[in-house]
Amino acid sequence: MSASPMSDFLPVTLTVNGTAVSRMVAPRTTLADFVRTDLQLTGTHTGCEMGACGACLVLMNGEPVHSCLVFAIQADGAAIETVEGLTERGAIEDLQRAFHERNALQCGFCTPGMLVTGHAILEKGGLPDREHIRDALSGNYCRCTGYEAIVDAIERALREREGCA
Amino acid sequence: MEEARAAFLAVDGDASYISGGQSLVPALAMRLQAPAVLVDLSGIADLRGVELQGETLRIGALTRHADALTHPLIARHAPLLNAAAPFVAHPAIRNRGTLGGSVSLADPASEFPAMMLAMGAQMEIFGEDGFRRVPADDYFIDLYQTALEPGDILTALYVPSVGPHHRWAFDELARRRGDYAMVGAGILAHMDGALVESARIALFSVGSTPVRAPGAEAALAGRLLDAKTIADAQRALDDDLDPPDDEHIPAAMRRHLARVLLGRLLQRLGETP
Amino acid sequence: MNAPVHGSTAFDRPAHVGRGMSRPNAKRLLAGKGNYVTDLALPRMLHAAFVRSPHAHARIGAIDVEAARAAPGVRLVATGEDIAKLCTPWTGTLDHFKGMKSAPQLPLPVDKVVWSGQAVVAVVADSRAEAEDAAELVMIDYEELPVLADLDTALAPDAPKVTEDFADNLCFRSALDSGGVDAVFASAAHVVEADFLFGRHTGVPLEPRAIIADYDASEHRLTVHHATQTPFQFQDLYSRHYGIPEARVRVVAPDVGGSFGVKLHVYNEDMAVVGLSILCRRPVKFVADRLEAFVSDIHARDHRVHARAAVAADGTLLAMDVEDETGIGAFSTYPRTSVVEGNQVIRLIGAPYRLEGYRAGLKVVFQNKVQTSQYRAVGHPIACAVTEHLVDEAARVTGLDPLEIRAKNVIPDTAYPCASLSGYKFEKLSHEACLTKLRALMDYERLRTEQAELRARGILRGIGIATFVEITNPTPAFYGIGGARISAQDGAVLAVTPSGEVRCQISVTEQGQGTETIVGQVIADHLGVPRDIIRVMTGDTAVTPHGGATWACRGAGIGGETALQAARKLKTNVLSLAAGILQAKPADLDLVNAEVVDRDGTVRMSLAEVARIAYFRSDTLPDGAEAQLTVAHHFAPKGYPFAFTNGIHGCHVEVDAETGLVKILKHFVVEDCGRIINPLLVEEQVRGGVVQGLGAAFFEECLYDQGGQLTNGSLADYLVPMSCEMPDILIDHVETPTLDTELGAKGCGEAGTAAASAAALNAVNDALGPLGARLTQVPMTPARILKALGRF
C-alpha cells in the first residue's frame, strides 16, 4: 500500500528495456509521459490518453498495457519494455520485416502499439485465424491502413514462426 | 488494509483508491476527478488470489480481468465471468483492470458488475467495523453508487460455484468489439433437462445500475424452456426495465434490444446440453 | 506517347515505376524512431494550454488571469487582445466564390465566442501539466447568446446571427442549371427522389495537431515545427500575418502522424502559438489532446440533400435536380474556405452518367459549431451517395439489376473527351472497363444467387454498388484563381552528390502515403539509377523549393511529374558532361543503373566517376564542359483543370434486422488512377480510404445537443472504425494514364473514401429493401436501421 499526495515527488525504480532506472516522479505522471519525457523513449505515443487507441502500449512484466493508464509510480519494481527495447534486442525483427514488406503502416504513429500487440500475439503462438488476429487488435486504432495489411503482416510473421511460411 | 483506510480517511475522503487504474486514470487525465491523494491497493496481499472455499469461489479483488479469461478455477466455478471476459474492453485493458475495481466502480454498462447479480455473488468489504459481506442484490444502489462507504475497500468477490445442473449464457450487443454494449445480459439457470427450475438474469447498459430481471426470471421458473416460455420471458422483461432515454439509443430501442438478446440467450440455453 | 530520349525511354525498362516497392522511410517508423512534432523537445521549450469556451455562443466579459499568472511554472497568460497586437486577422473567403462572406478571425477572440471549445485564453508554462493547472484558474465572464445549433434554426427568417454585421447566416449560395430540367422531369416515365442526411464527422489523425513555434528575436527569425501537409502555405501565412519576411520564416514538417486534410487549415491555437513564442522569446509547444482535437480540428460533411432523378421507362437516366444545404460552423475556414465541399457536391452529383438535364442549388450556412472544411474526398462521398442511391432507386422502379442500369447509363469509355453538365471536363475515364472488372472481382452472379438462398433462410445480405469520379491533380483553377496563395506547382532540386548518389529535395510532402518512395521510383527510372542510391527529402521550407505539397491527390501526379522532368534535366547534364569526358556525343550515351553506357550497352564510366571528376577534378575537364550536377525544376499542371479519375465500389453486408447491427463481409474496388507508380502503395491508399468511408457509413458522427455542445468528443464515444468491424478489401485496377503529363499518374488517395459509404448505403438498402425499409442517412447506426424497420 502506498498513499500518494498528488503534489509531492516520489521515487520510482524500475527496469526499462533491460536497464535499471531510478527517478523522482510526480504521482500524476503516467508511465507514457515518463518513458517519453524523462527517458526520451518517444517511440511510445499517446493518441487519446484514455486507453482507447493503443498507441501507447508497452510491455509491463511481459504483458501489453496502456502506458497512458498506468502511473509511473505504479510501475515501481516492474520490467517495462518499449518498442525501442523490442527492436534493439531483435525480438520483433520478423514482425517489423513483415510490416515493412506488406506496407502495414503509413504515418507510423500507431505502429509501435501495433507491434506490441503483434508481439503479444506472436508470443502466444499458434496460428490464430484472421478473425482472431482482428480481435486481438481490437484495441489498436489505425486511421491510415484500414487494418488489412496489419492483419496480413501479423499472419505472415505467425506462419514464419510456426515454420509454415 | 487499515493503513490504506487511514490514508484515505486522513484527507476527509478527498482520495481515490487505485488498483488497476483502467477507469480511474482516464478520469484523472481528463480532469474529471482531482483527488488530493491516491491510495494504491495493489500491494495488499489479502486482495489477491482465487481459491475454492467449499462451494464458494473466493476471487480476490485484485484479480485481473485477464484472469477471468484464463484462470481454471474461474472457468470451472464461475463460468459467467469467463464468458463475459472477452467482451470487457480490449486485451491490454484486461491485463491491468481488476475485477474488484470494476465492481467497486459499478459502471452500469460494465459486464462484471452485472455478472455479480447474475451469479448471486457476495461482495466482501473491509470497513469501519472490519469485514462484512453484501449480497449483489443489495450492493448496487444507484449510478456509480454501491454499498461501499467512503474509505471502504472491496476485498473479494464470493461466487457460488456452479453445479452440474447449472447452465449459463452471456452475450452483449455492441457496435464495435470492446465497446460499452448497447445492451448486455448474463443468465445463470438451474435446470433439469429442459425444465428451468430457477434462473437469475442480469442485464447491463439498461439503467443506472446493473439490473436483475425478476419478472423474466419468474416467467421461466418451473417451465419448460420452449418457444412459448421464451416469448413469455421476453414480454415479462419489459416490466423489469426502466432504461434511460437518450437521443442515440432511445429507451424503446434498449427495451427492444434487451428482448432480442434475452430471446437469443434463452435459445442458446436450450440448445446447450 | 513518350518521346524517346537518348535512344530509349525509361518506360522501355520500367525497373521501378509500376512495381510494388516498400517504403525505405518506413523502417525508421517501425523501429520507434519516428520524428513527430509531438516527440520533439527544444532547449528551453515552454508549453501552451488553452482555456476554452464552455458556451457555443457568448459575449466575453471580464477575464481574470491573476491567479493563473501566479501559478507555479507559468511564464505567460495571454488573451485575445494581447495576441491581436502582433497578428493581423484573416478571412476565409475566396474571390471565385462570388458573394461568399465570413467574419475576420484572430488567433484568440476579443469580443465573443462562437463555438463551444473555442480557445479564449492561452497559458504558457514550463510543463504542459502546469499550463493546464493554471488554465483552470482563469476566470472568464460570459454573457450567453442564442445558439444556432442546426440548419433550420440558422436558416429561419428571424434567426439570430452568428455574425451580427451580416444580414443572414448564409456564407454562400450557388446554383447550376443546364436548362430544360423541368420539361425532362415532366415527361419522364419515372421520378425517384430522396432526402439525405450526412452526419458531421472529423478526421481523427492519430497524432493530434502539434506545433512548436520558435521565434529568435536576435535575427527576427521564426522556425515552426508543424505537423502539417503544407509547409509552404504556412510559411507564407506566418510571414504575412506576423509581419516577418518570408525568407526568415522556416516551417518544418517532419514525420506527421496522419492528416487526411485536417492539418492543412489555419487553426486559432496554431496561429496563437507563434504569437506566444514571440512574446516569450522562447520555443512554445502546443499539442492538442484528443478532447481538444474533437472540438477544434475541422469537421466535415454535415449536409442535407434533397435530390430527385428523372428516369425513362427503359431505365435511362435523364436528369437530376438537387438541393444541398450544409452547416459549416461560425466561420469559413482559412485559407481554403468551407464552401469547397458544397461546391464539389453539386458539381459531382451525376458526374459518371450521361444526363440530359442537371440543376442544383447550394446553401452554405453558418452555425455555432467548429468549422467544417476539406477532409479526405471533399464532397465526393455525398455526391456519390446521392447519385448512386438514386440510380439504385431507378433500377428498382424499372426492374433493372444495379450493375445493368449502371452499364446502361455510365459515360461510355469511347465518348471522351467530354464534360459533365456541371462543367467538369473529363479527359478519359473508364467506367465501363471498371464495371466489367468489378463484376468479375465480386463474382457478382454468385453473390446474387447466394443472397437469394440465404434470404430464404432468413439471412439478410445486401450488395451495394457505387460508381464515382474523383478530382485529382488540381491546377490553379482550384485555389489560385480565387486569390489564395496556395501553389498548384511543385519544385524539386535534384543533385548527383560527389559520391555519385542522388539527392532529391522536393516540395511534395509525406504523411505516410509513400510520397518519398514514388518520387524515388520515378527518378530511378528517368535518371537511370537504382532506387537505393536516391535520398528524397521533403517537408522543410529551408530544404526544398516552394510548392503546393500534399492535398487533393496531387502528390503522385504533380510531384511525380516534377521529379520526372527534373530527372530528365539532370540526366541531360550528366550525359553531356560524360560526353565531354569521354570525347563522345551525348546522343550516343545513356545512363543505366548509375553507369554511363554507349549505344550497345557497353559501360563507359560510372556515375560516381562522373561525379568525382565534376566535383574534385574539374581541372581535367575539356573546355566548355559544364559540370552542372544539380538541377532545379518546377512543374505546374496545365491542360485539363483537374485530372479526373474514376472507379467503382462493391460492398457486401449482412444485416441483423433484430439488432440493427451490420457485418461488412467484404468490400471491392476497381479504380483507375492512371499510371500506377507503385501498386502496393496505391492499394493501401485505397484500403485506408475505404475504411474511412465505411467509418462514415456506419460509425462516425459528431453529435451536438441543442446548446451546441459536442456530446461525443472522445475516442471512447466517437466511434472510429476498428479492426474487428472492418472487412478485407479486394482491389483491381484499370490504367488510363493522363496525357497531360509524361508520367501519366493521377491521384488515388481519395478514391477509397469517395464511394465506400455510398456502396455501403446501397448494400444495406439492398438487404432491407424486401422488408420495406429504406435508409438515406449516414452513419447507418443500429438505431436508424431499427427505426427504418419499425422495430421500436
Side-chain angles (χ1 to χ4, degrees):
Chain A
M1 197 286 308
S2 62
S4 320
M6 294 301 276
S7 44
D8 300 346
F9 279 72
L10 294 170
V12 61
T13 298
L14 66 167
T15 305
V16 179
N17 298 332
T19 303
V21 173
S22 288
R23 290 282 196 285
M24 298 297 288
V25 297
R28 69 175 171 184
T29 302
T30 62
L31 183 58
D33 286 342
F34 179 71
V35 299
R36 282 176 53 76
T37 307
D38 293 57
L39 306 183
Q40 299 179 337
L41 293 166
T42 52
T44 299
H45 293 138
T46 56
C48 69
E49 294 170 275
M50 63 185 300
C53 79
C56 72
L57 292 181
V58 299
L59 295 178
M60 185 166 177
N61 300 324
E63 289 178 330
V65 302
H66 292 90
S67 61
C68 78
L69 295 189
V70 178
F71 289 118
I73 50 172
Q74 290 179 289
D76 191 54
I80 301 298
E81 197 163 27
T82 67
V83 66
E84 291 93 341
L86 286 168
T87 301
E88 281 161 23
R89 73 175 168 95
I92 52 172
E93 211 176 321
D94 51 350
L95 189 60
Q96 287 164 318
R97 189 171 53 247
F99 265 64
H100 185 243
E101 289 176 5
R102 182 60 189 79
N103 198 44
L105 71 158
Q106 288 180 30
C107 82
F109 202 76
C110 75
T111 307
M114 290 288 178
L115 292 171
V116 168
T117 297
H119 172 72
I121 297 171
L122 287 168
E123 289 294 292
K124 213 169 171 185
L127 281 174
D129 62 21
R130 293 176 72 80
E131 286 299 302
H132 279 89
I133 296 171
R134 284 186 179 272
D135 188 30
L137 288 168
S138 69
N140 288 84
Y141 172 50
C142 171
R143 189 54 148 181
C144 298
T145 64
Y147 302 104
E148 184 172 335
I150 295 170
V151 176
D152 289 347
I154 292 172
E155 197 174 33
R156 181 183 136 186
L158 275 164
R159 297 182 71 81
E160 284 176 1
R161 283 208 194 174
E162 294 291 318
C164 51
Chain B
M1 237 177 295
E2 270 300 351
E3 207 186 321
R5 254 178 64 77
F8 189 102
L9 295 170
V11 289
D12 292 331
D14 188 10
S16 281
Y17 289 124
I18 182 166
S19 56
Q22 302 300 281
S23 300
L24 179 64
V25 180
L28 299 177
M30 288 188 269
R31 294 177 177 246
L32 300 173
Q33 291 180 37
V37 168
L38 277 188
V39 183
D40 187 358
L41 302 177
S42 62
I44 303 176
D46 291 351
L47 305 187
R48 297 189 176 281
V50 178
E51 60 176 323
L52 192 63
Q53 300 179 343
E55 293 299 295
T56 304
L57 190 68
R58 180 190 189 274
I59 302 174
L62 290 177
T63 303
R64 307 276 181 199
H65 298 343
D67 296 327
L69 211 51
T70 55
H71 201 291
L73 285 177
I74 293 178
R76 163 70 187 81
H77 298 284
L80 262 182
L81 286 183
N82 184 252
F87 295 88
V88 178
H90 306 289
I93 302 275
R94 297 197 291 264
N95 286 337
R96 287 289 298 169
T98 65
L99 289 173
S102 173
V103 175
S104 297
L105 179 65
D107 188 320
S110 279
E111 291 83 357
F112 289 137
M115 292 313 97
M116 296 299 122
L117 277 179
M119 298 185 302
Q122 296 203 332
M123 283 19 107
E124 183 189 72
I125 296 168
F126 179 75
E128 196 174 353
D129 302 319
F131 290 95
R132 66 183 193 277
R133 288 197 199 176
V134 179
D137 286 319
D138 301 330
Y139 174 82
F140 300 103
I141 295 169
D142 206 338
L143 187 63
Y144 299 116
Q145 200 187 331
T146 65
L148 290 169
E149 299 291 334
D152 280 0
I153 297 169
L154 179 68
T155 49
L157 314 169
Y158 285 81
V159 181
S161 171
V162 298
H165 291 284
H166 278 113
R167 290 191 213 164
W168 59 89
F170 175 94
D171 209 346
E172 65 179 46
L173 301 172
R175 291 179 65 186
R176 302 177 309 175
R177 185 73 167 171
D179 278 352
Y180 282 125
M182 298 185 288
V183 169
I187 304 177
L188 184 64
H190 198 269
M191 299 185 69
D192 183 359
L195 177 75
V196 183
E197 292 181 334
S198 65
R200 291 179 69 96
I201 302 173
L203 296 100
F204 50 99
S205 281
V206 293
S208 55
T209 64
V211 171
R212 253 190 91 176
E217 290 173 7
L220 294 169
R223 305 255 318 257
L224 285 173
L225 190 57
D226 56 19
K228 176 156 189 333
T229 304
I230 292 174
D232 288 345
Q234 285 177 297
R235 251 189 307 280
L237 181 66
D238 244 12
D239 290 333
D240 293 329
L241 302 181
D242 183 16
D245 202 25
D246 67 68
E247 196 189 329
H248 320 307
I249 307 184
M253 174 173 161
R254 279 196 210 268
R255 284 180 186 282
H256 165 80
L257 291 178
R259 268 196 305 274
V260 169
L261 184 61
L262 179 66
R264 289 181 180 183
L265 288 177
L266 290 174
Q267 195 75 37
R268 219 185 284 170
L269 214 57
E271 286 160 6
T272 47
Chain C
M1 58 168 245
N2 297 293
V5 174
H6 303 303
S8 63
T9 76
F11 289 133
D12 292 336
R13 42 166 205 280
H16 302 90
V17 169
R19 265 182 57 201
M21 304 177 80
S22 50
R23 295 155 45 213
N25 58 359
K27 287 187 173 171
R28 191 165 43 78
L29 307 178
L30 279 160
K33 293 186 183 300
N35 177 30
Y36 304 89
V37 173
T38 311
D39 300 335
L40 187 62
L42 300 182
R44 301 186 73 237
M45 185 173 81
L46 300 170
H47 298 263
F50 291 90
V51 184
R52 295 179 183 279
S53 168
H55 304 295
H57 196 189
R59 205 164 299 289
I60 299 169
I63 301 178
D64 180 354
V65 300
E66 288 317 308
R69 280 202 175 120
V74 171
R75 304 291 166 171
L76 175 72
V77 181
T79 64
E81 301 280 3
D82 298 330
I83 297 182
K85 290 172 189 153
L86 303 173
C87 181
T88 57
W90 60 84
T91 305
T93 56
L94 287 173
D95 301 341
H96 63 309
F97 296 122
K98 298 290 176 228
M100 84 167 290
K101 59 186 185 247
S102 182
Q105 289 194 71
L106 284 164
L108 301 174
V110 294
D111 53 352
K112 67 174 197 170
V113 290
V114 287
W115 81 88
S116 176
Q118 184 176 5
V120 183
V121 173
V123 179
V124 184
D126 292 341
S127 73
R128 171 71 187 234
E130 286 170 326
E132 286 182 8
D133 288 344
E136 289 185 347
L137 304 175
V138 173
M139 305 301 290
I140 304 171
D141 290 335
Y142 292 103
E143 178 200 333
E144 288 189 61
L145 297 168
V147 174
L148 298 150
D150 59 52
L151 284 171
D152 289 326
T153 316
L155 286 170
D158 55 349
K161 309 292 180 291
V162 172
T163 300
E164 279 92 347
D165 300 347
F166 293 159
D168 53 33
N169 291 313
L170 266 183
C171 170
F172 178 63
R173 59 188 311 171
S174 176
L176 302 169
D177 192 348
S178 68
V181 171
D182 286 330
V184 177
F185 271 89
S187 62
H190 305 280
V191 173
V192 292
E193 65 186 308
D195 288 296
F196 299 87
L197 286 174
F198 297 89
R200 217 175 219 261
H201 58 95
T202 184
V204 204
L206 186 51
E207 182 192 28
R209 284 171 20 236
I211 186 168
I212 301 170
D214 184 5
Y215 176 70
D216 176 359
S218 64
E219 290 190 277
H220 190 37
R221 194 177 287 279
L222 175 71
T223 303
V224 183
H225 303 267
H226 190 169
T228 179
Q229 299 169 236
T230 50
F232 287 100
Q233 173 196 301
F234 282 105
Q235 179 192 36
D236 175 70
L237 292 170
Y238 296 142
S239 162
R240 285 191 293 120
H241 288 283
Y242 278 98
I244 304 169
E246 186 179 57
R248 291 169 186 249
V249 178
R250 175 184 178 192
V251 177
V252 189
D255 292 321
V256 178
S259 189
F260 319 112
V262 169
K263 295 174 183 169
L264 50 64
H265 306 289
V266 167
Y267 291 97
N268 301 78
E269 297 89 343
D270 299 359
M271 280 299 243
V273 164
V274 172
L276 297 173
S277 178
I278 292 172
L279 289 169
C280 292
R281 299 288 200 261
R282 285 171 66 172
V284 177
K285 180 176 189 174
F286 171 68
V287 178
D289 69 25
R290 184 59 60 192
L291 305 185
E292 292 181 292
F294 274 109
V295 296
S296 63
D297 284 2
I298 57 119
H299 293 176
R301 322 305 185 220
D302 200 352
H303 287 247
R304 181 167 72 184
V305 181
H306 176 76
R308 54 193 193 120
V311 187
D314 68 351
T316 302
L317 296 171
L318 301 172
M320 290 190 182
D321 183 12
V322 301
E323 280 295 327
D324 179 22
E325 296 168 330
T326 177
I328 58 160
F331 297 104
S332 168
T333 302
Y334 183 66
R336 288 161 193 261
T337 82
S338 301
V339 310
V340 171
E341 178 150 277
N343 187 54
Q344 291 190 177
V345 167
I346 62 168
R347 287 174 194 277
L348 285 166
I349 285 175
Y353 300 99
R354 283 175 300 186
L355 295 175
E356 291 174 25
Y358 183 69
R359 183 167 61 197
L362 169 68
K363 283 186 194 143
V364 179
V365 182
F366 293 119
Q367 50 185 180
N368 291 115
K369 293 179 185 170
V370 71
Q371 297 149 56
T372 65
S373 197
Q374 282 75 302
Y375 155 68
R376 198 174 198 171
V378 188
H380 293 70
I382 295 150
C384 184
V386 168
T387 305
E388 296 301 305
H389 179 79
L390 291 181
V391 171
D392 266 15
E393 282 297 290
R396 190 176 57 79
V397 298
T398 55
L400 287 176
D401 174 87
L403 272 187
E404 288 310 322
I405 194 168
R406 287 173 173 83
K408 185 179 176 66
N409 285 287
V410 289
I411 301 172
D413 294 357
T414 51
Y416 296 94
C418 63
S420 74
L421 292 181
S422 62
Y424 281 144
K425 293 182 182 127
F426 303 127
E427 179 193 11
K428 182 149 176 54
L429 301 177
S430 58
H431 291 303
E432 291 178 319
C434 287
L435 219 143
T436 302
K437 276 202 166 179
L438 182 77
R439 185 187 287 274
L441 184 69
M442 293 180 81
D443 201 351
Y444 184 77
E445 276 70 26
R446 187 187 63 76
L447 285 189
R448 284 289 178 205
T449 308
E450 178 193 73
Q451 179 186 33
E453 286 166 10
L454 290 173
R455 187 171 293 278
R457 289 161 38 200
I459 295 169
L460 301 177
R461 290 205 171 166
I463 301 160
I465 307 293
T467 297
F468 70 95
V469 300
E470 190 210 327
I471 297 168
T472 80
N473 293 6
T475 64
F478 212 152
Y479 290 114
I481 197 172
R485 296 167 64 87
I486 297 168
S487 191
Q489 64 80 48
D490 275 288
V493 171
L494 191 60
V496 177
T497 70
S499 302
E501 294 163 5
V502 178
R503 185 182 64 235
C504 175
Q505 296 149 285
I506 188 162
S507 58
V508 283
T509 57
E510 171 88 89
Q511 296 86 40
Q513 307 92 324
T515 308
E516 294 180 3
T517 305
I518 59 157
V519 163
Q521 286 178 261
V522 170
I523 293 168
D525 277 358
H526 291 269
L527 182 58
V529 299
R531 170 69 185 90
D532 59 8
I533 67 165
I534 304 167
R535 170 105 169 96
V536 181
M537 300 163 79
T538 62
D540 186 343
T541 61
V543 168
T544 81
H546 188 103
T550 300
W551 46 274
C553 281
R554 62 188 300 290
I558 300 175
E561 182 71 9
T562 306
L564 182 151
Q565 294 186 7
R568 287 273 173 81
K569 210 172 186 175
L570 182 58
K571 183 174 184 172
T572 302
N573 290 6
V574 167
L575 294 181
S576 153
L577 180 60
I581 295 167
L582 296 168
Q583 300 293 303
K585 290 189 183 128
D588 293 337
L589 299 175
D590 198 357
L591 190 60
V592 177
N593 205 25
E595 289 176 318
V596 177
V597 298
D598 64 18
R599 277 180 179 276
D600 65 8
T602 308
V603 175
R604 300 294 304 274
M605 69 190 298
S606 69
L607 180 60
E609 180 63 5
V610 176
R612 186 191 66 81
I613 293 168
Y615 285 106
F616 304 118
R617 291 306 307 272
S618 50
D619 57 315
T620 66
L621 291 174
D623 284 350
E626 283 280 345
Q628 298 296 332
L629 295 189
T630 298
V631 301
H633 189 79
H634 288 264
F635 168 75
K638 295 190 195 76
Y640 284 88
F642 310 103
F644 272 91
T645 70
N646 68 284
I648 186 164
H649 286 222
C651 188
H652 191 209
V653 302
E654 185 170 310
V655 184
D656 183 335
E658 291 295 313
T659 64
L661 292 168
V662 179
K663 170 86 181 152
I664 311 166
L665 300 167
K666 193 97 48 182
H667 197 91
F668 307 85
V669 180
V670 180
E671 65 77 46
D672 182 350
C673 64
R675 172 82 61 206
I676 294 175
I677 301 169
N678 185 326
L680 176 70
L681 303 186
V682 165
E683 295 197 354
E684 290 318 303
Q685 279 300 297
V686 171
R687 286 199 175 90
V690 164
V691 164
Q692 290 191 16
L694 293 176
F698 293 106
F699 297 109
E700 297 185 46
E701 187 169 24
C702 298
L703 298 163
Y704 281 84
D705 65 18
Q706 278 305 305
Q709 301 292 336
L710 182 67
T711 59
N712 65 336
S714 83
L715 258 186
D717 300 306
Y718 179 95
L719 307 186
V720 289
M722 299 296 280
S723 60
C724 277
E725 291 72 34
M726 289 300 114
D728 284 346
I729 298 162
L730 268 57
I731 299 169
D732 203 347
H733 309 276
V734 172
E735 247 181 299
T736 310
T738 172
L739 301 184
D740 271 357
T741 63
E742 286 188 35
L743 184 61
K746 311 177 199 173
C748 70
E750 301 175 277
T753 310
S757 55
L761 180 72
N762 283 352
V764 169
N765 279 318
D766 186 53
L768 297 183
L771 302 182
R774 179 179 171 197
L775 281 99
T776 52
Q777 179 174 11
V778 294
M780 294 176 278
T781 62
R784 288 171 187 151
I785 289 173
L786 291 174
K787 199 86 191 162
L789 285 162
R791 295 296 155 112
F792 71 90

